Amino acid sequence: GNDKAIAMKKFEHMASHSTREVIANAKREQSPFVYPEDFPTISDVDYLLFHQVFPCQPPPSKLEYKGLNDSRSNTLSGLCCKHCAYYYLGDVRHSGAYFPTSLTALQDSSFSKALLAHVMRCPNVPREIKDAFGELKQLAIDHSITTKRGSKKQFLEKVWARMEKYYE
C-alpha cells in the first residue's frame, strides 16, 4: 500500500491539501505529453513537471545552434513552459523553451533539472505549483527515496514518442 507508493515517490496520500489539489488539477487537465494513465507509473514530481510544458517549434536560430538542418524544423517539437507561453503569447525566445534533439538528451538528468529549475524560478508559474514541487521534493528527502531510473526512462520514452508525433 503506502510503502509501495512512497517507494515510487507517490506522496499524494501524505501531502498537504494544497499539493493534493495541484496534483488533482494536473490529473484533470489535458496535456499534450502527459496522460492520466502515466500518473501511477512515475513520481509525482515528474508527472507535475512534464505537465508544466506545451509543445513548441524551435526558431531557426536554435536549429542552427544545435547543428540541425531545416528538414527537421517542421516536425521537431520542443518543450515550452506553458506559463511562459501564455505570458509571451507563444514567442519561444525566452528561458522557458527547451529543445532536446534526441531521446538521450531528454533522458539526461540535467534536462529534467534545468526544467525544474526554470519552473521554480519562473515568475509566471503560480505559487501553489512551486510550493507543491517544494513539498514533494522534501517528502522524497524525508523518506530517503531516490528515483528508480527504469520508470522515469520508460516515461520519457513515451514523452519523446508523443513529442515526435505532435507536429506530424
Side-chain angles (χ1 to χ4, degrees), residues 69-138:
N69 60 21
D70 279 344
S71 67
R72 286 191 61 196
S73 67
N74 291 337
T75 59
L76 186 66
S77 175
L79 300 171
C80 180
C81 169
K82 68 182 182 182
H83 310 284
C84 286
Y86 290 132
Y87 184 79
Y88 294 107
L89 302 175
D91 184 348
V92 297
R93 292 168 297 187
H94 56 78
S95 66
Y98 299 88
F99 303 100
T101 56
S102 67
L103 173 59
T104 304
L106 182 68
Q107 289 176 328
D108 189 292
S109 64
S110 65
F111 182 82
S112 290
K113 286 178 183 166
L115 201 54
L116 183 59
H118 170 81
V119 167
M120 294 304 284
R121 73 173 179 270
C122 178
N124 306 310
V125 174
R127 178 87 255 150
E128 62 271 13
I129 292 174
K130 292 179 184 185
D131 290 347
F133 278 113
E135 181 180 356
L136 292 169
K137 295 212 51 90
Q138 188 59 50

Side-chain angles (χ1 to χ4, degrees), residues 6 9-23 43-46 48 116 119-120 126-145:
I6 291 170
K9 287 183 140 181
K10 306 300 285 174
F11 298 111
E12 186 177 22
H13 66 284
M14 59 176 45
S16 67
H17 175 74
S18 176
T19 294
R20 287 195 312 271
E21 197 61 34
V22 168
I23 293 169
S43 75
D44 294 340
V45 168
D46 289 329
L48 282 179
L116 183 59
V119 167
M120 294 304 284
R127 178 87 255 150
E128 62 271 13
I129 292 174
K130 292 179 184 185
D131 290 347
F133 278 113
E135 181 180 356
L136 292 169
K137 295 212 51 90
Q138 188 59 50
L139 283 166
I141 291 166
D142 292 349
H143 291 275
S144 304
I145 304 295

